[in-house]
Amino acid sequence: SVGAQEWRTPVVKNSQQATWNDWYEFPLEVVDGHLLEINMYDDDTSSSDEFLGYAAIDVHSAMQTVHFLAKKGPKQQTRNPQMLQSNQPLLSRSTKANLEMVAGRKTKYKNITGTVDVEMAWMPLVKTPGPPTGKLFPSTTAAVLNVFLYSANNLVKFSDKSAFPSGHLPSPQAIITVANYTKETQISKNTQQASFNHGEIFMLQSNWKAQTLVIDVQDTEK
């Protein structure tokens, strides 16, 4: 995970040397101040998953960072002299991080060992995108759409033009749809002037020019 964005890998059965070779995309405005956090678990169908370790890697420096709850973390890596620069068109960094114990995580193991090998690639936004073959990793993203919905005002009728019942105040919620994404805002209770202040980032594919952004405001009290 990076920030609120989280991905889960497929499960590798009965292995102490798991290999994925999978890429996951995270939209970032800047490279500074972000951690790539990896939580490893033993998938168990008969009980809750056992914790196998945690690793955090600073996106900018590609260096491991100790978890703030860890009493004694892994040895810090030597500082990377080639920091990830956001003004460069295409950059890739590989790093190895040690898995560490985190207090409070459920596990039957007294000692946590193991490492993770990670490659991170920075692909900045450009006005004129290049060919798909020019990418550092097999990305399907061709465009990034950033939407911020401030408010919906003067809500006095339903979509079928019928008026609200006498004394009724709506509790609006907005549903944002584009491509195969559907996102919902929080509900604003009992108001005709709903304030959402809700932001979303959508990763769109090569057909992004044919997509339509739809914002549907609904009364959850109807």
Side-chain angles (χ1 to χ4, degrees), residues 58-97:
D58 183 270
V59 173
H60 190 191
S61 65
M63 291 172 50
Q64 183 169 6
T65 300
V66 177
H67 192 281
F68 72 98
L69 291 178
K71 294 181 179 179
K72 183 179 181 181
K75 183 179 180 181
Q76 292 293 310
Q77 300 176 11
T78 303
R79 185 172 181 81
N80 190 341
Q82 294 184 324
M83 306 279 278
L84 194 61
Q85 301 296 321
S86 60
N87 61 349
Q88 297 298 317
L90 292 171
L91 287 173
S92 177
R93 294 287 183 270
S94 296
T95 190
K96 184 187 293 288

Side-chain angles (χ1 to χ4, degrees), residues 2 39 59 118 173 188 214 216:
V2 176
N39 288 282
V59 173
V118 177
Q173 180 183 45
S188 293
V214 177
D216 183 20

